[in-house]
Amino acid sequence: MWSIIQNSFLLLSPFLPTSLIPSSQITPHEDYHGPLTDGGVWYEAYERARGVVKEMTMEEKVNLTTAITGPCQANSGGVPRLGIPGLCFNDGPSGPRYTDFVTQWPSAFTAAASFDRDLIEERARRIGYEFRGKGINVELGPVTGGPLGRSPYAGRNWEAFTPDPYLSSTLSFLTVRGMQSSGLITCAKHYILYEQDPVCDGPLDDEGGRTGCRDVSSEVDDKTMKELYLPSFAETVRAGTGAVMCSYNKINGTAACENDDALNRILKDELGFKGFVLSDFGATHSTVGSALGGMDMELPGEYYYGQRLLKAVKKGTIPESRLDDMVHRILTPWYASKQDSDYPKVNYQKYDLSDSKEVNGHVFKNEHVDVRGDNAMYARKVAAESTVLLKNSGVLPIKGVRRIGVFGTDADYPSTLSGCGPDLFCLVGSRRRYWNGTVTIGGGSGAAYADYIAAPIEAISLKARQQGIRVDHVLQDDPAHFGSIGWVAYQSEICLVFVSLFLVEGWDREHLRLDKRGEELIKHVEKNCAGEVVVVLHAGGQIIVEDWIDLPKIGAVLFAGYPGQETGNALVDILWGDVNPSAKLPFTMGKSPKDWPRDNLVREMGKGSYPIAEFSEGLAIDYKWFDKHDITPRYEFGYGLSYTNFEFSGFEVEERYEKDRDTVQKTNERYEGQRGLYDTLYVAKVNITNTGKVPGAEVAQLYMTFPKSEVEQPPKHLRGYAKEYLEVGQMGTVEFPIRKKDISVWDVKKQLWKVPHGNFIFRVGNSSRELPLKMTVEIGSSF
Ligand code: NOJ
């Protein structure tokens, strides 16, 4: 097929030098045997779209490629004559943003801690139906590996799942599949290597916004790109994502939204992506460069597409076949998701929640459609299943106490729900943004409105009242209140301290500590508490806890992430043991900033015309960096406690072939051998027994070490995980299918995936550093 593609290039575009012809320019043709031609569910849609494109005028085609601000964050033009409406595009990954009567879900970074495939897919399915209910055609989400989480300082990691590419890949696949099962089109973002926000060196503007910003160029080698940053996007393609958003950053010097290599060669050819690439807001920098570079739609506004695109196509600078390709790509997922025959109309208008609003001369009605169903119940479940118990002296679950003290603004209601503006931006002080009550989600495009917040103080008070427990509280952090905080702590048998880290798009982190001097609050409560202290962390990233974690009265610590609107209820489920904690950290918590590579984020403009981030750590990010450099973390990737204990036994790895049955869009990735890259070749199995005193779930984790010949590989890689709920004394068996890709490396010279020959070591346990069982498997075949 490779050669067919190469040949059709030359035939179709004789007037361009071959080096300038992007491969997406290939017009689908009768003898084109693309990845959808073997019965994929998109095949019919692909054919229908091709037929419809032929009917359109050039103006109509351009209309479809350009989205402007409307009732939604962006609305593309339609072709009413052919029954094609404009599409509605709206954020974001934690639920429909900018509208009401929706659910504010736990963020992806939080939900990843559940290590629960079914839970993640069901979360996604429910989010998908909320978007559908509002009439949103394309969700600007999920965030699938851009950022992946290269640096703990990146301010948007909480919008994505985890820095581990295997966990991120599997969750990305399930999230796209779950969301699109509602008929919604997902947009996997931000493609690719978007690991930090722009560097800004201007003064803050009147509204506290940044000025003098320049996009960073991510400089990465081919192997790191293929093995670390690309796999999650490959999985979204396999799952059938209809759209992909190109990101703000440059890639090896060229803007992501006009990067022929990243968009045409890798995404569209190598991954076989048949949907459309849309630009992040303001990430388009050219007309011809973007069109030939592989970007199919501009959002929001008509800066480089619209009239300019039309002019360029008329002039012949952009071949009409490329315009056809853009429209074909936009319409294929629209037909595939059946939005042409069965989809609600847009019934809201973004930004304000009033009943109607005029946008571009049209009055849009806000029908306030309630799309929540019983999602609050499920959001609570996701939040509880994603709360990681980091430390426990036995103080949890709460029992036998009569007086509890609650401390910190983070336990309180936000003083207003939208008073910080639609982005939840709350400017406190000149350079720092804080949230004004309990932190349930981060700010910027990953945020979703909540219609209510079940604040921790509300849920704790209700639960305690049912049990005859007295609750005192001082919901303050400021040292000015330390007198009353100390006094209440002195009378409390359990002191619950709430601390947080609020992260906002556009503001990478300057340190790895808590907001509002949370460390001081913890230490003050610890000093004064009559009994033991339980610390609750609401944070969207890694926190250094060394100042206080080993203090004698710190009895328990919970990492609750950004749990969404059901925060307090989910927390109460864990505190009182109605839900036994089973979540695991989807990232590593180091002991010191020095544990991570230095200069992990670029902070300076540099000497050239843009700042450069050298991804010199290669494959070794997060736990792989700690493993490679033998650094002992405070809490390792995969770590999390339970109220019960588990034992592993009977570990086996057997050869078992199973053909891939999940793929929606087949990728064109090249590989050695006969078996498909996503076919299962081995299955590992292990027994788990609940040896403790209460029922609970454990996450069995499988890690793999490549043969010694693979010198560039970090010491181990997650290659399987399975969550099993077990009654007291019960034993269960879990299986981990190991696909060909999971045991392959990217051969840079041959430009293909290959299974290295030699001894593979597999280990299983319940964290990346607690792996009691081991097996060596000799692999001598390329399959
Ligand atoms: C910029 C963000 O990077 C992107 O994720 C979001 O979808 C758009 N803004 C629209 O809010």
Side-chain angles (χ1 to χ4, degrees), residues 73 91 97 140 156 159 189-190 194 245 248 280-281 445 505:
Q73 274 181 277
D91 286 331
R97 179 188 181 206
L140 300 173
R156 298 188 71 179
E159 295 182 46
K189 69 185 189 184
H190 307 83
Y194 175 54
M245 179 188 279
Y248 285 130
D280 201 343
F281 288 34
S445 39
E505 176 182 338

Side-chain angles (χ1 to χ4, degrees), residues 11 37 221 226 286 306 327 427 559 633 677 741 768:
L11 291 174
T37 56
D221 63 86
K226 294 294 161 57
S286 63
V327 177
L427 196 60
F559 188 92
L677 204 51
K741 192 169 185 183
S768 62

